[in-house]
Amino acid sequence: MPTDTTSVLLVEDNPGDARLVIEMLKETGANDFRLTHVTTVREAVARLADPGIDTDVVLLDLSLPDESGLDTLRRVVQAAGRAGIVVMTGARDEELGVSAMQAGAQDYLVKGQVDGRSLRRALRFAIERHIMRLQLESLSLKDDLTGLSNRRGFLVLAEQMAKLARRNRSGFLLLFLDLDRLKQINDTFGHAEGNRALVEAANVLRSCFRQSDIIARLGGDEFAAMTLSAAEGSERAVKARLDAALGVVNSSPDRAYALSFSIGVHTCPPDGTPVETLLERADKLMYEQKKRSKT
């Protein structure tokens, strides 16, 4: 939470209610809140979408000229990013306030039942709650050991990328990778060394893909990657980058074992097939490649 000035975006079309909020935030005479006032959802969304403007918390009336009710909140939640949201309701709309919290707001206030102290407290707590929620969501989508996305995170992000590919009518590549001989590394050198091998494998993948690509550890020795670069020859190019990166790692003179992957690469058309199904196909291709390498 900001240590100096908290930036508040007030979305309120009633001049009297807006003036009251401004006065309540100035009650103590402190300058720890900086308030910007807009009167429509459209203005609020535009301001929240501007990367040059920081907003810590949104104070949102749910009855506005261009939107009302929970539809108002949903539009602002989508644009809010790291900003917390406190909604304001009328005295007869407390149930709406509760529904708003279930839909993504951090708190609600009833007009006419708020003073400066309770308003300031609600705004600060909303910021803290939202930051905590973002941190928990991030942890739930990340693999603790490697820092890559976990299986859940991969499926969430990959579905978003697949939708983008469909809109652009472009294919994409989905890779399923298995780190070879992890059990042997664990049995010979111990599980701590096996964990180091997994971290090394994750770093190899990071070096071979762009930031816009999606990389994940699905669990155990299994990894996945997704890239929109599905032009002719890109599968061969990806494998060449992986081979080169593994060659650098394995060229260390004091290495006790070589790092390698078995890889299945599935070229996916933008036809709406669920990512989970595509991942299963890439997994099957990986096992076929692993079998061929053993013969």
Side-chain angles (χ1 to χ4, degrees):
M1 191 174 78
T3 55
D4 297 318
T5 304
T6 299
S7 175
V8 181
L9 176 61
L10 172 63
V11 192
E12 170 62 76
D13 67 316
N14 185 303
D17 288 341
R19 186 166 54 252
L20 184 60
V21 168
I22 294 170
E23 290 174 355
M24 284 192 291
L25 289 181
K26 291 181 177 179
E27 275 182 6
T28 64
N31 294 317
D32 50 348
F33 286 89
R34 183 178 72 254
L35 188 140
T36 300
H37 176 212
V38 299
T39 59
T40 65
V41 175
R42 185 175 62 181
E43 291 176 285
V45 169
R47 187 172 181 85
L48 290 167
D50 189 333
I53 301 175
D54 291 328
T55 301
D56 298 313
V57 62
V58 181
L59 187 56
L60 175 67
D61 181 18
L62 290 183
S63 181
L64 295 166
D66 56 340
E67 201 92 57
S68 63
L70 293 180
D71 289 338
T72 306
L73 174 63
R74 292 187 185 102
R75 284 192 61 193
V76 173
V77 166
Q78 290 177 352
R82 298 194 65 83
I85 300 174
V86 176
V87 301
M88 295 183 292
T89 70
R92 299 178 181 177
D93 294 326
E94 287 199 55
E95 288 187 8
L96 181 59
V98 174
S99 297
M101 290 185 66
Q102 295 171 344
Q106 279 67 56
D107 204 347
Y108 75 94
L109 299 171
V110 179
K111 292 182 179 181
Q113 300 179 15
V114 184
D115 58 18
R117 182 178 179 183
S118 60
L119 173 61
R120 297 163 73 89
R121 184 171 63 246
L123 294 175
R124 292 196 181 281
F125 283 178
I127 297 171
E128 292 174 359
R129 289 192 195 104
H130 189 52
I131 290 174
M132 185 177 299
R133 186 163 114 186
L134 289 174
Q135 290 171 339
L136 290 173
E137 288 177 354
S138 175
L139 288 172
S140 71
L141 300 177
K142 291 287 186 182
D143 174 57
D144 290 339
L145 179 65
T146 64
L148 300 179
S149 295
N150 58 21
R151 185 181 188 90
R152 179 187 174 198
F154 180 81
L155 291 174
V156 169
L157 296 172
E159 285 291 356
Q160 293 175 353
M161 184 178 282
K163 289 179 183 177
L164 177 61
R166 286 198 295 274
R167 284 200 299 271
N168 295 334
R169 298 181 181 179
S170 63
F172 54 91
L173 292 182
L174 190 63
L175 289 80
F176 195 105
L177 306 98
D178 187 271
L179 180 61
D180 296 327
R181 298 178 296 278
L182 179 61
K183 184 178 184 303
Q184 182 180 336
I185 295 170
N186 284 329
D187 292 346
T188 305
F189 304 101
H191 286 275
E193 186 60 37
N195 286 344
R196 278 191 285 272
L198 289 166
V199 172
E200 277 190 310
N203 289 334
V204 165
L205 294 177
R206 284 191 181 93
S207 71
C208 295
F209 291 91
R210 302 165 300 181
Q211 286 190 338
S212 57
D213 298 329
I214 306 169
I215 318 167
R217 180 188 174 209
L218 302 179
D221 55 5
E222 296 177 341
F223 294 82
M226 183 176 181
T227 173
L228 289 180
S229 177
E232 184 178 352
S234 59
E235 176 181 339
R236 186 165 54 250
V238 167
K239 287 185 175 180
R241 289 200 300 272
L242 283 167
D243 286 342
L246 289 168
V248 171
V249 171
N250 292 330
S251 65
S252 175
D254 57 350
R255 281 200 72 83
Y257 55 87
L259 212 62
S260 65
F261 290 111
S262 295
I263 307 171
V265 183
H266 184 40
T267 302
C268 309
D271 60 2
T273 302
V275 170
E276 188 89 60
T277 301
L278 299 174
L279 200 58
E280 291 173 0
R281 294 174 185 173
D283 185 10
K284 184 177 180 181
L285 292 170
M286 183 276 295
Y287 273 106
E288 290 174 358
Q289 189 257 322
K290 187 184 281 283
K291 288 179 182 178
R292 286 196 300 269
S293 67
K294 290 181 179 179
T295 58

